[in-house]
Amino acid sequence: MLVSAKEMLEKAKAGHYAVGQFNINNLEWTKAILQTAQELNSPVILGVSEGAGKYMAGYKTVVGMVNGMLEELKITVPVALHLDHGGYEACYKCIEAGFSSIMFDGSHYPIEENVAKTTELVKVCAEKGLSLEAEVGSIGGEEDGVVGMGECADPQECKQIADLGVTMLAAGIGNIHGKYPANWQGLSFETLDAIQALTGDMPLVLHGGTGIPADMIKKAINLGVAKINVNTECQLSFAAATREYIEAGKDLQGKGYDPRKLLAPGAEAIKATVKEKMELFGSVGKA
Ligand code: 13P
C-alpha cells in the first residue's frame, strides 16, 4: 500500500540520512526502482512530473500500475507516489487519482499567492493523510538550450511557508535540474544553513540530484536535507546501456528485438544508479 512521505522523511531527518525521490517514466523505470528499494530495504519516493503523468496515459494509469506492482512484486518497504512540481490543478487531479504525496510548486508566484495556495493544499492534504511538499526559490535548469542558474531562496520566506504546516520544503540553494554546467558555483551551504536554522525539524528537499558531487550531498544531508530528487541520472544510465546494446548489434541477434530483451540492459542500469544513490544518501536498511 502506498504511504505518505511524512513518516519516512521525519525518520530520515532525525537519523541524518535522505530518502531518494526517483522520477518514473514508464513500467520499466517503476519496476527497476521498486525492486531496488525492496532489495536494499530502503524507503523510496516515486516522482511523477506532469509531463511524465501525461506520457504514461494519465495519473490514474500511474496509480493503477504502481499499486499493482506493490502487490504483485510483494513490495513491503515504504513507497510514496509523489507528484513532482505540480501546478495547482494537477495537485487536485493527483489527489483524486490516489497519489499519496503531492508537491505544489508555487515558487513562480509572488510569495503571498504561494502562501495562499499552499495554505489551502495543506488543509486538503491533511484531511486525506497525504504529504505535501512546497517550494520557495525556483530551481534552475535547461530550457530551450539555455541553462538557468538556480536561485537561492530567502530563508524568511522558507520559514513562512514551512510554518503553514507542509510536510517537506524544497528550497533553491543554487541547485538546478539536469546536468550542471562547467561554470556551476556549487550549492550555497550558507543559504541551506540559514534555512535550516529557521525551519528546525522540517525535512528539506534537494532537487536536481543528478551530478551533485558526493561530498556536497553529504554536507547537504548534515544541514537538514532529508529528500533528494534524482531524474536525469537514471535517464542517462538507461540511454547509455540501451545505446551499447544496439551498437553491439544485439537487437539483430536472435530475438534481440523483443522489447523485453531490448529494454533489459537499460532497466539494469537504472537499478545500478538507484542503488548507488541509496547508498550515498544513507537510506539502505532504513525501511
Ligand atoms: P535531476 O533531473 O537533475 O536529477 O533533478 C530531478 C528533480 O529535481 C526532479 O524534481
Side-chain angles (χ1 to χ4, degrees), residues 85 103 107 134-140 149-155 158 169-176 186-192 195 204-207:
H85 292 285
M103 174 184 187
S107 63
E135 178 174 326
V136 180
S138 89
I139 290 149
M149 286 300 174
E151 272 179 27
C152 278
D154 174 347
C158 290
L169 182 72
I173 54 166
N175 44 328
I176 61 174
L187 297 176
S188 170
F189 292 110
E190 206 184 336
T191 308
L192 182 57
I195 295 168
L204 301 174
V205 184
L206 182 63
H207 281 248

Side-chain angles (χ1 to χ4, degrees), residues 77-245:
V77 296
V79 178
L81 179 59
H82 180 75
L83 170 66
D84 189 28
H85 292 285
Y88 183 73
E89 278 166 27
C91 288
Y92 281 96
K93 280 192 180 156
C94 287
I95 291 169
E96 198 200 316
F99 276 53
S100 65
S101 189
I102 298 293
M103 174 184 187
F104 169 60
D105 181 355
S107 63
H108 48 285
Y109 290 119
I111 186 71
E112 299 74 25
E113 197 169 350
N114 193 355
V115 167
K117 289 194 160 67
T118 303
T119 304
E120 183 190 313
L121 283 157
V122 163
K123 196 163 166 275
V124 177
C125 288
E127 276 165 12
K128 300 194 181 279
L130 310 179
S131 41
L132 176 69
E133 176 176 341
E135 178 174 326
V136 180
S138 89
I139 290 149
E142 192 180 321
E143 226 169 353
D144 299 330
V146 180
V147 180
M149 286 300 174
E151 272 179 27
C152 278
D154 174 347
Q156 288 296 343
E157 289 186 359
C158 290
K159 179 174 166 45
Q160 202 183 343
I161 297 276
D163 286 349
L164 300 176
V166 299
T167 319
M168 60 272 208
L169 182 72
I173 54 166
N175 44 328
I176 61 174
H177 292 122
K179 292 183 188 174
Y180 285 85
N183 63 348
W184 181 50
Q185 304 290 309
L187 297 176
S188 170
F189 292 110
E190 206 184 336
T191 308
L192 182 57
D193 201 19
I195 295 168
Q196 140 109 331
L198 291 175
T199 58
D201 291 337
M202 171 69 49
L204 301 174
V205 184
L206 182 63
H207 281 248
T210 298
I212 299 178
D215 58 329
M216 285 195 201
I217 293 281
K218 295 240 187 253
K219 198 165 173 189
I221 293 173
N222 278 333
L223 289 170
V225 164
K227 172 176 180 279
I228 303 177
N229 293 7
V230 177
N231 181 18
T232 306
E233 206 155 325
C234 289
Q235 299 188 358
L236 292 168
S237 330
F238 177 86
T242 308
R243 167 182 290 275
E244 200 180 312
Y245 181 89

